[in-house]
Amino acid sequence: MAGENDGDVYEEGEGELVDWQLPVAFNENRHTEKIEGSRPVTETWRMKERMKTVSVALVMCLNVGVDPPDVVKTTPCARLECWIDPLSTSPQKALESIGGNLQKQYERWQPRARYKQSLDPTVDEVKKLCTSLRRNAKEERVLFHYNGHGVPRPTVNGEIWVFNKSYTQYIPLSVYDLQTWMGSPSIYVFDCSNAGIIVESFRQFSQQRDQEIDSETTNGSQWYSGQGPPSSNKHCIQLAACGAKELLPMNPELPADLFTSCLTTPIKIALRWYVLQNTSKLVPGLTLEMVDKIPGQQNDRRTMWGELNWIFTAITDTIAWNILPKELFQKLFRQDLLVASLFRNFLLAERIMRSYNCTPISSPKLPPTYQHPMWQAWDLALDLCLCQLPRVNEEDGSAFKHSPFFAEQLTAFQVWLSFGREDRRPPEQLPIVLQVLLSQVHRLRALDLLGKFLDLGPWAVSLALSVGIFPYVLKLLQSSARELRPLLVFIWAKILAVDSSCQADLVKDNGHKYFLSILADPYLPAEHRTMAAFVLAMIVNEYQQGQEAALQGGVISVCLEQLGDRNSTLRQWLALCLGKVWTNFDNARWCGVRDSAHEKLYKLLLDPVPEVRAAAVFALGAFISNRSERSDHAIQIDLGVGMRLAEVASDGSPLVRKELAVAFGGLVVQFEGQFAAVASQMLEEEKLKDRNTPIVSAEAPGGWNVVTPGTDGLLSPMSAAGIRRSASRGSLKGMLSSTPTTMTSLQSYPSSSSTSVESAGSHDGLRRDSSSSSLSGLAFKNVHMCVWRSLLLLAMDPHTEVADMAKKIVNSVRLRASLCAKPKMVIQNSQMSHSAPCSPSNKPPANMMIGTPPQNLDMINSVDEVRNRDNQSPGRTSMLVTPVRGSGQGSQPPHQPYSMQFSRHRKIFDKGPTPIEEKEEEVPTITTTSAPSPRNLGSVSTEFFQWSFRHFAQPVHRMREMSDPESGLHHQREFRFLRNSHVRRDAREDQNRAGFSRLDDQIFVNRNQFPPSVVKFHPYKSHIAVADKESGVSIWNWEQGTRLSYIINDNPKSTRITAMDYINAHDKALLMCGSDDGAVRIWRKYMVDDGKGKELVTAFQALSDMLPLSRGSGLVCEWEQDSGMLLASGDVRVIRLWDTQKEMKLQDIPTSADSCVTSLACDSMGRSLLIAGCGDGTVRLFDRRLAPTECRVMTLKEHSGWVVNVHLQKGTEGKIISASAGGDIKMWDPRFTESVRSFSTQSSITSMAVHPRADVIACGSVNQSISVYNQSGDSLSLIKYHEGFLGQRIGTISCLTFHPYLVRLAAGSNDAFVSVYSSPAKRS
């Protein structure tokens, strides 16, 4: 279906975009996800303590030439010890050679350890050796290697054998004593027959020792006085050559110390064992002598020997990682290099010795690994290597062909990635990928595949870190290869997104310089620089050493240079990085000041991408929120930034406004005294305004009221404008007026403060000495006032999260103001005095006695509990106050703090209710002992930064499920679009005959909960949304006659819904509700759990300056799905265009009308023509392509009164249809100023609707009837009564709407009934 629809962008005969081409609005991550970080992943990969084996004891009990009495050896027998035949020379010399050779073999794995040999020792020599090594090793690990080939087998009592001084007797040595001397942590290697007995005895003695320690600790006795508590043997490791009842192999083709050979010379013994197997016949002519002559060095991977060792390491690591539990793997294979090497070789020992009926034993015990499939890969590698051996040996210096092992394993890993997901078994090749990173040949491919694996999600990152990938990718940061940069920055972005603790390792190894160089490289794609910016942001995130290192590297200048990049994600992370680098770090902040960082960030406040704007606000908020001491210059900068941030309060994205609330919170903390003074001042101004409420003296045309000042004759500065809502809606929308403290240009700020002032919260905090007055005080005061008003605006934000954050800040300031002594009014003759700026201080105001707040803090913090101000005198709200009790004093008179409690009315700069008037002498003095810190009361935060970096933890390169043609979501979407197509197709027949058919068949009628104000059909479902006058929306199924859901729009109580529409109706519909306070809220899941499961997608103030009219239209909206534009107007003088993709205002088109806009219509195809019906009877046409002052192209003036509705027909003709309240309906050609057709309904109408695709018009009149006409003016139907026997008369129609496709008419009436009408069904 998708392919079919994609071929035709427009539907036949419609000129509309088909569903596959329509944009889906409000579908970004910021809309569909909760703005919070991901759950932190528990860090398990990093070793809590790394160990090193620093001492090695080599105890050789061979007694060369004398066989032990309890072992009968075969003839011939295995003789080689450390690849030396002890009978080839004198016994003492052979013993020394064997000891030296064993030490060399161990030194290959741990060259820096301290080695001590004890050849044929006595008990005292072993004790002295062990205690000496433990003393020198301290808390590190000690290795005890025991070769007991020349002494009897271990006893069941847990004893091994050594010699007396004269070598005439075998002396038993208890493993218990050995544990005591060796201490912990230790590792033991027992190469002797019946070695399993030692391991079992060791376990029993360890349990006994632990019980003794617990018993002595419980009893309080310290028999180990002076020595410290004996260490537990839980951290001891044992490796034994065979089981408790097994003898070592005596095959003369094998060395006698086969177990030791496997542990210390794994490649050599593996090759010999390979030759002894039948599989060696694949390489004819191969002999043991040839195997011993394999060229190369173990540590040189370019040679044959080195490559085999490299492959062996990769295979044994892979086997261990796939079989062992992760914790055990970390302990044995990642904690200690020597232990890891021994256990890798132990896996080989198990495979070889099991073929000779010996079972090596380890503690901790490992599961069987000798049959793992990866051993077959090892055999194949040996085949391919050894088949070249004759040629290489014959042609001395001939280059050999490298093994394809790693390339093949990378291919297998790539195949797994094609189908890999979290619920599948992890790829067994992951440890091999780690090994391949060491090879320059395969490194690029390995990094690419590793990055794709990490991109699968946080689980993949954790898995890779547990394998041990971290030190490898950290080491690679030292590489200068440019081709590795994109891969490494991607890998590190993935790692840091999951585990931010890696920041310390990066700074320690100067890894931040690598990412600074990537960020500063203009030739790299923006995607890679974005990840570098993210990595740097994580390095400096709450890590002072990282901040200092990045600052020294010039991170601020590098970021500022690229703020204008076209990539929005890069701009976002540059701003976030800047914000993090100067958070609580003054050096970075002043570096930013020198580079004018704040001024450069101002440009991002107007960025078309909301995440970028939010990041800019985040950075500026961190810039002004440092809590260090402030100079006058710093104060000037902070307030300048605050002034610019105040302009963001009307941003369309709640993401931005939440960050703004946090930024203002930081500013309030710095200047809490000044803001408390502003709050107190506005309280007094509100009281004064209420005493001088203007009186309505006349009503002008268009709904305007002419008012005169109150009887006092003194107008409050806050109510200087003479326009006010009439009494019927008097307190709904307070007029916003400017105060004498007009905002002054920030350019007039002086470089330093020229006055000293008293604390802003004191009695005289607002008074200024006339001799020290200057522009500085005025300008700074204006900033505080401007920011405070923006905070009040945010506290009434339609988005609840934004409002709650702002209310918390405002409440803290109100509390501070209420705890200060009541400031005296200093306004005289409308002139206001100002205080000069002062540095913020944590000290209380000079005239304030430190005390506790009122005990009833719930009253202060609950903004939403205020009663409706319509029920009280204007500006008054009764407040319940708990008397304040001082410490050691009796009850104080009631004190009423000015808490931030807002009315449900929508007033733009509403300052909340005014406390009850009280006389000056009745104000009590607060004398309690401690005051709450507004820092705690007003602190707010978001998880925007955490949410932003969560993007890097999730798959980046994976196809979105909605775009995957095989996904379930895509199939669901395909079904919806197929349904839509059927609805449109089936409706065409009814549309064609609608112009001459009746439309009075009532197919649905039901009583709504409250009288409806707006009704809207869902275009493709049998749903109708009914908004009532109590701010609720009912969803009805008009085919089945049932109510499906009811939601509350959460707009203020005294406001009502005046606009409603379905957004993304062709896909997953959202419900948009606009209320007459200018706010728009968009809901999803409005059908879940009867509306209780609703989720707010977004909310914003579409219009912020609604005019107080005696008769208003509220908020009028027109939604354009094709372009994602929202047009908003109503009780204002402008038509505002919102781009919902950018979530910002595009332009304001002035209406130039003296009345409200009652309806809007637009041309969705050309997207240029805009039509507005006005309350003064005019219909105004605008061309959006022109400048705002020139875009009004025509005014149609034939209507005599209120325009009920305007409609612009779809198609090429584009006829305009309008109707006025007087009942006249007119049709216009947009090219002419005179109507082309007109007819009257013979009665006044309250609403009018035009079907967008059928020739039918419906009018609801005041005489309780609905008239239906075609566009020629012919009457089709007249509806007066509900259907049924004795059907009652319909109520006065409040709203009408047509279905967008079907010929269905919905009507809502004042008696709360909702009806749907249809054409009579066709008779068969």
Side-chain angles (χ1 to χ4, degrees), residues 1135 1151-1155 1170-1174 1176 1178-1182 1192-1197 1206:
I1135 301 171
T1151 62
S1152 303
D1154 291 333
S1155 64
L1170 175 60
I1171 304 162
C1174 300
D1176 59 1
T1178 59
V1179 176
R1180 298 170 184 257
L1181 278 63
F1182 304 89
R1192 183 163 61 94
V1193 294
M1194 194 177 299
T1195 302
L1196 311 177
K1197 302 180 179 181
V1206 293

Side-chain angles (χ1 to χ4, degrees), residues 28-38 655 658 801 943-944 946-948 950 1084 1095-1096:
E28 302 295 331
N29 289 339
R30 62 181 180 272
H31 303 124
T32 58
E33 298 176 355
K34 192 172 182 181
I35 308 300
E36 61 183 10
S38 55
L655 192 69
K658 281 191 277 189
E801 294 181 14
E943 293 190 29
F944 171 65
Q946 292 81 353
W947 173 78
S948 297
R950 192 176 71 178
R1084 67 167 164 258
E1095 294 180 4
L1096 185 62

Side-chain angles (χ1 to χ4, degrees), residues 71 95 103 116 164 177 209-210 234 303 339 389 484 524 526 533 585 691 702 721 739 752 868 870 946 972 1130:
V71 177
L95 182 63
Q103 179 173 333
K116 290 288 186 178
N164 63 359
D177 294 334
R209 187 180 300 274
D210 290 340
K234 294 179 181 178
T303 64
V339 172
L389 190 57
L484 298 184
L524 283 175
F585 187 36
R691 286 198 298 267
T739 68
S752 62
N868 193 332
D870 282 343
Q946 292 81 353
Q972 294 172 18

